[in-house]
Amino acid sequence: MKKYFNRIFIFFILVLLVVFVLKDVNLYELYSLLKIINPLYLFLAVFSYLVYFLLWTFRWWYIFRKVFKVKFFFLLKVLFAGVFFNIITPGAGVGGELFRAYFLSKRYNKPKNKMLGVILADKIFHLVVMGFFAIFSILFVLIYAKISSNLKIILEILLVSVLFAFSLTIFLVLKKMNFNIGAFFKKMHFLSFIKKRFKDAEEFENYINKKTGELSGIIRKVVKNKKNIFMGIFLSFCILILEFFVSYFLFLSFGYHVNLLIVVIVVSLGLLIGILSLTPGGIGVVESVM
């Protein structure tokens, strides 16, 4: 009975999400556009997105196989489910990573901390390449585009922020740091569900520091591997190129002939702003920026 109600609840949530996305769509205008669409370019857009997910899964599988054996198609299913959770969580959408770690831990009987470490390491490769495209796009607009002074200031702030985040990520990965994160979390020991498991705040602090150390160790082990670096960066580059081609082919399918370089720039900026936004999956914000 409980399983039956859980399915009804999930179905209800999915219906609400579909209504939220489609409530402002002009269906007649959509129908008019579909009548003039070029099926070849539409197929190429869909095909590019399919290969995008297959390459993402392959990158994930390649990194995971260094730790333990995993099945490619099971990873693909978990990836799709994780992407769904990323879309419905605000900003950078980190809910999907926790979801993937949980189900992989259940399936392969491995520590959740270990699963999460490999998943976050995989995401670092993607964010590094995405940071490269973001920096390139901002510099291109600042140098070659005629923009207002206000927009120029915003882009300069974004550029500094991306460069800082980029440098900080590399520094934290390469240098072993011993942060006492538990000292911050031990203040939450007053919560009843934490008190039941840990007898005092010091025990909870030590537990948090231990798990954080294990997590950072796994991430460094994966990210500092030379083969992982090459494959992670190369596949992340291919994956983002495919994402650019999806938008490019969609424009062509509706008869809009646009410059591929401009598509790369506007999509990169849109994705960057989407990560910083508070809307679920950056929906609306990414498209408005583009």
Side-chain angles (χ1 to χ4, degrees), residues 86-259:
N86 276 344
I87 290 174
I88 64 175
T89 52
V94 294
E97 278 64 47
L98 298 174
F99 174 87
R100 293 171 202 162
Y102 174 80
F103 277 93
L104 284 170
S105 173
K106 286 287 186 182
R107 174 66 181 264
Y108 294 105
N109 195 26
K110 298 288 183 179
K112 298 182 184 68
N113 213 29
K114 193 173 186 178
M115 300 296 97
L116 184 59
V118 178
I119 292 168
L120 292 178
D122 171 76
K123 189 160 188 174
I124 286 174
F125 292 125
H126 188 78
L127 290 176
V128 166
V129 177
M130 189 174 172
F132 167 78
F133 279 108
I135 292 169
F136 167 78
S137 301
I138 294 172
L139 288 174
F140 186 93
V141 173
L142 288 174
I143 295 171
Y144 294 106
K146 293 181 180 179
I147 56 177
S148 66
S149 57
N150 291 335
L151 182 56
K152 187 175 182 180
I153 293 171
I154 293 173
L155 288 175
E156 288 171 347
I157 293 173
L158 276 176
L159 179 62
V160 172
S161 301
V162 172
L163 287 171
F164 175 76
F166 191 84
S167 305
L168 181 63
T169 300
I170 294 175
F171 175 77
L172 291 176
V173 167
L174 296 180
K175 188 174 178 62
K176 186 175 181 180
M177 305 293 288
N178 294 314
F179 293 113
N180 187 13
I181 298 177
F184 172 78
F185 282 98
K186 75 175 184 179
K187 298 175 183 179
M188 301 172 63
H189 186 262
F190 68 92
L191 297 173
S192 59
F193 70 92
I194 296 178
K195 275 186 175 181
K196 289 180 181 179
R197 185 172 178 184
F198 304 96
K199 63 180 181 181
D200 53 43
E202 285 68 29
E203 184 182 350
F204 181 54
E205 177 184 355
N206 293 333
Y207 174 81
I208 293 294
N209 286 334
K210 179 184 176 182
K211 291 299 181 181
T212 303
E214 291 175 356
L215 183 65
S216 60
I218 294 168
I219 293 173
R220 280 196 299 272
K221 182 180 178 181
V222 173
V223 173
K224 293 176 74 172
N225 182 284
K226 292 181 180 179
K227 290 183 179 179
N228 285 346
I229 292 173
F230 174 77
M231 289 298 293
I233 297 296
F234 173 73
L235 290 173
S236 297
F237 184 84
C238 294
I239 288 168
L240 278 170
I241 289 296
L242 284 169
E243 187 162 10
F244 300 142
F245 270 113
V246 169
S247 295
Y248 180 66
F249 287 136
L250 282 175
F251 275 113
L252 293 180
S253 67
F254 286 104
Y256 296 101
H257 296 276
V258 293
N259 187 299

Side-chain angles (χ1 to χ4, degrees), residues 38-45 253:
N38 186 316
L40 174 61
Y41 288 122
L42 181 62
F43 167 79
L44 289 174
S253 67

